[in-house]
Amino acid sequence: MSRWWLMEAVDVPVSGTGDGTTVKKFLERSGPFTHPDFEPSTNSLQFLLETCKILVIGAGGLGCELLKDLALSGFRDIHVVDMDTIDISNLNRQFLFRRKDVGRPKADVAADFINSRIPGCCVVPHFKKIQDLDETFYRQFHIIVCGLDSIIARRWMNGMLLSLLVYEDGVLDPNSIIPLIDGGTEGFKGNARVILPGMTACIDCTLELYPPQVNFPMCTIASMPRLPEHCIEYVRMLLWPKETPFGDGVVLDGDDPKHIQWVYQRSLERAAEFNITGVTYRLTQGVVKRIIPAVASTNAVIAAACATEVFKIASSAYIPLNNYMVFNDVEGLYTYTFEAERKENCSACSQIPLDLNFSPSSKLQELLDYLTESASLQMKSPAITATVEGKNKTLYLQSVASIEQRTRPNLSKTLKELGLADGQELAVADVTTPQTMLFRLCFTS
C-alpha cells in the first residue's frame, strides 16, 4: 500500500493576521508578569511592527515553526538563511513545503509561503551557507534566532556575533550586542536558550552539554558489519582517508552531494558483500552528518519557546529566559530552566588566550589531537600557525591539499623541534568559528 500520505504535508491554513492586534494586549497595558521597568505604550508595538529586524538561521523543522510563530507575533521584517533544498522526507514535519516544492531551496519556498499567507509580513530568503555572508550582513539585525541541526554551524554563528562586539578600554559596548536565541531538538528532547554575546554563557562555554556522537566499535565496522550503518561508517572512517577520492586532505563534507554519493555507492558495495540491506542515500547522509530523527511536536514546542524569547527581548516588556530551558517528553512531560555560567577561560568569548599545557618533547600531532578531542574545544580541522623567528609560520593546515602535504611532516616533530617556546602564542583557525583563536603554549617539565 502506498505511504505517500505519510510524507505529504497537510494543507492546513495558517490562520492569523500578524497585524499586532493581539500583541497590543501585552504591550499597551501592564500585568503581573511584566518587567519591573516596563511602561505600557505604543512605542514597543511600533518598534516590533515597523523597525525590528529578525534573522532566522535554518528553514527546516525548527525554522518553519519559527517563521510562522514570528510572523504571527507581528514581526514584519524577517530574513531567513538556509543552504538546503527540499527533500520528500521533509514534508511530514516541515509544513511550509508541499510535494511540488521538492528540489527547490527551503529558504525561497518558506519565504513565499509566509509572505502569501500573512499580509504585511516580508520574509527575505537567502539560499546560502551562513559562512557566505559577511559582518555587514549580520550587523543589520536586532535579534538572531537559530533553528539548526549542526553544532558546527551554531559555533560559527556564535563566533560571528562575538566578532561584532566592540570594546572601549576593555569595556563592552552594549549597543554592539546582538542577542542570539538558540533552539535545538533531538527526538522527544529539546532546549531553548538566550545568549547575550560577551555577557552570558556562549555556545562554546557549554559545549559539554551537547550529546556525544554515536560511534560504532571499530572491530564491528571492519570485520563483522551487521547493520547498514556499519557499512556507511566503514566507508566514512576507513575508505575515505585511504582512497582520498577528492584529493589529499579533502575532508568529507556531509552537505556536498558528490561526497555523499561516493560514500553511498561504496557503502552499497560493502553491504552487498555481507548481504546487508537498507543502505539508502538518505541514510548515508544521516550517518555522515549524524542527523537525529526529528519529531514535529518537539519542534513546535521549542520554536514557540524561542519565538517567545524574541518577543520578550524585542518588546522589553518581560524578563528574558535566564538562560537555558530543557524540554523532555520521552516519558510524561518534564521541563526546567537553569543559568548556564560563562566560562572565564572560554576559547571563544573570554578575550584571553587559552593555555595549552604540553611538554617540549610532545609532538605536534598530540597538540592537534587535543584540539579535536577535547570536550571543551571539539574542533574539526584546525589550522595552526605561529610566529617563529619573527616570521609567520604555518605549522599544519588540513583544508588545502598542497599545504597539507607540505606541512604533514611537522606532525611527527616535537614542539621544540618546530622552534616553539614556552609562552608562545599559537593562532588556530577552524570551521567552527569565523575568528582565529589564540592559545598560549605552556611547557610542562
Side-chain angles (χ1 to χ4, degrees), residues 18-35:
D19 61 359
T21 303
T22 304
V23 180
K24 283 184 180 180
K25 298 177 181 178
F26 294 95
L27 302 181
E28 296 185 358
R29 64 185 186 186
S30 189
F33 301 109
T34 53
H35 193 287

Side-chain angles (χ1 to χ4, degrees), residues 48-321:
L48 187 148
L49 294 175
E50 300 172 11
T51 307
C52 191
K53 202 167 188 175
I54 306 294
L55 175 62
V56 176
I57 307 289
L62 268 177
C64 285
E65 294 280 357
L66 282 167
L67 289 169
K68 177 258 296 179
D69 290 346
L70 292 170
L72 291 177
S73 296
F75 294 98
R76 292 177 175 174
D77 193 351
I78 305 172
H79 288 236
V80 58
V81 177
D82 195 291
M83 60 174 284
D84 288 337
T85 55
I86 298 166
D87 185 78
I88 191 72
S89 63
N90 301 146
L91 303 185
N92 69 329
R93 65 193 181 280
Q94 297 174 22
F95 57 89
L96 299 182
F97 312 140
R98 300 294 179 265
R99 194 183 305 180
K100 64 181 174 60
D101 300 319
V102 170
R104 291 187 60 201
K106 288 184 178 181
D108 292 352
V109 176
D112 290 345
F113 192 106
I114 296 293
N115 292 339
S116 66
R117 290 294 184 97
I118 302 178
C121 185
C122 178
V123 179
V124 180
H126 303 273
F127 177 43
K128 297 179 180 229
K129 292 182 178 181
I130 55 174
Q131 295 87 347
D132 294 337
L133 299 160
D134 59 15
E135 291 185 0
T136 303
F137 173 81
Y138 291 109
R139 206 186 297 274
Q140 66 182 303
F141 298 101
H142 294 94
I143 302 171
I144 294 178
V145 199
C146 282
L148 294 162
D149 60 1
S150 165
I151 295 177
I152 293 178
R154 278 189 178 90
R155 295 178 66 186
W156 192 93
M157 197 66 246
N158 178 71
M160 171 55 73
L161 295 185
L162 290 171
S163 73
L164 298 180
L165 297 178
V166 175
Y167 290 85
E168 297 179 1
D169 298 326
V171 179
L172 175 63
D173 179 2
N175 293 320
S176 65
I177 297 174
I178 301 176
L180 174 65
I181 314 298
D182 179 58
T185 63
E186 181 184 316
F188 290 98
K189 301 176 183 179
N191 67 80
R193 63 187 301 185
V194 174
I195 297 171
L196 302 178
M199 293 183 63
T200 64
C202 74
I203 296 289
D204 280 43
C205 285
T206 55
L207 270 186
E208 294 92 340
L209 293 178
Y210 290 99
Q213 292 185 346
V214 177
N215 293 310
F216 299 103
M218 182 59 71
C219 58
T220 301
I221 295 171
S223 57
M224 297 181 294
R226 299 184 302 275
L227 302 172
E229 290 87 350
H230 294 161
C231 302
I232 299 167
E233 282 289 86
Y234 175 82
V235 176
R236 184 185 75 86
M237 297 180 65
L238 299 176
L239 289 190
W240 181 276
K242 179 182 178 181
E243 300 187 9
T244 59
F246 293 87
D248 289 342
V250 177
V251 180
L252 175 57
D253 184 354
D255 293 313
D256 190 324
K258 294 179 181 177
H259 289 197
I260 297 299
Q261 185 65 31
W262 186 89
V263 175
Y264 169 53
Q265 292 297 334
R266 298 308 300 271
S267 300
L268 281 176
E269 295 170 10
R270 176 78 172 172
E273 183 181 346
F274 288 88
N275 296 316
I276 296 172
T277 60
V279 174
T280 64
Y281 182 92
R282 180 185 173 196
L283 178 64
T284 301
Q285 188 172 44
V287 171
V288 170
K289 294 181 66 176
R290 295 297 195 261
I291 295 174
I292 305 297
V295 176
S297 59
T298 311
N299 286 335
V301 170
I302 297 304
C306 290
T308 300
E309 296 307 317
V310 174
F311 175 78
K312 289 179 183 178
I313 292 175
S315 66
S316 301
Y318 299 88
I319 299 174
L321 176 71

Side-chain angles (χ1 to χ4, degrees), residues 338-405:
F338 67 93
E339 181 180 358
E341 296 184 0
R342 189 179 177 191
K343 270 188 177 179
E344 291 184 4
N345 63 342
C346 174
S347 59
C349 71
S350 65
Q351 298 291 303
I352 58 173
L354 187 66
D355 289 345
L356 293 175
N357 298 302
F358 284 90
S359 165
S361 60
S362 298
K363 303 287 179 62
L364 183 63
Q365 180 68 62
E366 296 176 53
L367 190 150
L368 188 75
D369 291 342
Y370 175 78
L371 295 175
T372 56
E373 296 173 5
S374 168
S376 61
L377 296 175
Q378 297 184 35
M379 295 185 182
K380 299 303 175 184
S381 54
I384 309 171
T385 60
T387 301
V388 180
E389 297 179 353
K391 296 181 179 179
N392 192 45
K393 181 179 181 181
T394 299
L395 302 179
Y396 184 69
L397 191 149
Q398 184 176 346
S399 58
V400 180
S402 59
I403 301 178
E404 194 281 333
Q405 187 175 11

